[in-house]
C-alpha cells in the first residue's frame, strides 16, 4: 500500500527539511552572479547540473535604512494599505452579492472608507507602541561573503576542469 507520504511517489529533488549541503568545492566566487554564471556555463557544457549546489558562506544580515519615520508617513502608509484592502473587499462583496449599480458602488465606497480607517488605527497603534525606539524605515537582505559551488564527488573533477576553462576566458567574453 502506498500513500502520498511514501518515498516511492516523491520526485527526486532538493530535500524538504533544512540540511547541510554536500559535495566537493569546484569553485568559489565573491558575488552570486559569478556563481550563477559558473553553473550556467556547466549547464551549457552538458554537465549534470543536478549534482551542483550554490552555497552562500559567511552570511550577513544587511539592513539598509531607507528613510525616517514620522506620524505623517506612518498614517499615510496605513491609509494607502487600507484603501487597497477596502477596495478589494468592496469589489468582491459587490460581485458576489449581486447588488444593483448604485448599491454596489455604495458597498465599495463604504469598504474603502472602513479599510482606510481601520488600517490607519492599526498603523498608529503599531507606531505608538515603539515609543520612538525605531523611527526609521529599512529593508533587510541576507548576503553572503562568498558563494561556493559544490558538486557531488562523482562529477567534481570534471566540473572543476570546466570551471578552470571558464576562469581562463576574458571577463567580458561570451559564456
Amino acid at each position: 500500500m502506498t500513500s502520498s507520504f511514501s518515498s516511492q511517489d516523491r520526485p527526486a529533488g532538493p530535500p524538504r527539511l533544512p540540511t547541510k549541503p554536500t559535495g566537493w568545492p569546484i569553485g568559489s566566487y565573491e558575488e552570486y552572479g559569478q556563481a550563477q554564471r559558473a553553473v550556467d556555463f556547466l549547464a551549457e557544457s552538458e554537465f549534470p547540473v543536478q549534482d551542483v549546489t550554490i552555497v552562500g558562506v559567511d552570511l550577513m544580515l544587511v539592513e539598509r535604512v531607507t528613510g525616517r519615520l514620522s506620524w505623517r508617513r506612518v498614517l499615510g502608509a496605513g491609509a494607502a494599505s487600507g484603501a487597497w484592502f477596502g477596495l478589494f473587499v468592496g469589489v468582491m462583496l459587490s460581485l458576489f452579492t449581486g447588488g444593483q449599480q448604485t448599491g454596489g458602488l455604495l458597498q465599495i465606497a463604504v469598504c474603502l472608507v472602513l479599510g482606510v480607517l481601520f488600517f490607519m488605527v492599526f498603523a498608529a497603534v503599531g507606531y505608538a507602541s515603539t515609543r520612538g525606539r525605531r523611527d526609521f524605515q529599512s529593508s533587510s537582505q541576507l548576503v553572503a561573503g562568498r558563494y561556493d559551488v559544490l558538486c557531488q564527488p562523482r562529477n567534481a573533477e570534471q566540473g572543476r576542469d570546466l570551471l578552470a576553462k571558464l576562469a581562463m576566458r576574458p571577463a567580458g567574453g561570451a559564456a
Side-chain angles (χ1 to χ4, degrees):
M1 180 169 110
T2 61
S3 72
S4 60
F5 298 107
S6 71
S7 61
Q8 294 171 354
D9 298 333
R10 196 174 301 150
R16 292 180 184 212
L17 295 176
T19 58
K20 289 185 177 181
T22 60
W24 292 354
I26 60 173
S28 187
Y29 305 92
E30 288 185 23
E31 297 175 7
Y32 179 76
Q34 295 170 321
Q36 189 177 21
R37 181 176 174 241
V39 175
D40 284 342
F41 178 78
L42 291 173
E44 291 167 1
S45 300
E46 303 293 324
F47 185 81
V49 290
Q50 64 272 14
D51 288 347
V52 175
T53 305
I54 299 175
V55 180
V57 180
D58 297 331
L59 297 179
M60 299 172 273
L61 179 64
V62 178
E63 183 176 13
R64 290 185 171 82
V65 177
T66 58
R68 180 172 161 68
L69 275 183
S70 65
W71 277 105
R72 181 179 177 183
R73 183 173 270 186
V74 168
L75 293 176
S81 296
W84 280 112
F85 184 74
L87 181 67
F88 173 74
V89 170
V91 168
M92 289 295 117
L93 280 175
S94 69
L95 286 175
F96 292 112
T97 58
Q100 295 98 1
Q101 187 172 355
T102 309
L105 291 177
L106 183 63
Q107 261 182 337
I108 293 172
V110 168
C111 288
L112 189 116
V113 169
L114 288 176
V116 167
L117 291 176
F118 279 113
F119 275 63
M120 283 179 72
V121 168
F122 292 143
V125 168
Y127 185 60
S129 71
T130 66
R131 296 190 178 137
R133 286 188 308 259
R134 189 170 167 89
D135 279 344
F136 61 90
Q137 284 180 304
S138 65
S139 65
S140 296
Q141 188 177 32
L142 195 61
V143 180
R146 76 171 193 274
Y147 297 89
D148 291 341
V149 177
L150 305 182
C151 182
Q152 293 304 309
R154 64 181 165 262
N155 293 312
E157 188 175 346
Q158 179 191 3
R160 198 174 293 127
D161 292 344
L162 285 168
L163 292 182
K165 290 178 186 176
L166 175 64
M168 290 188 285
R169 287 183 170 187

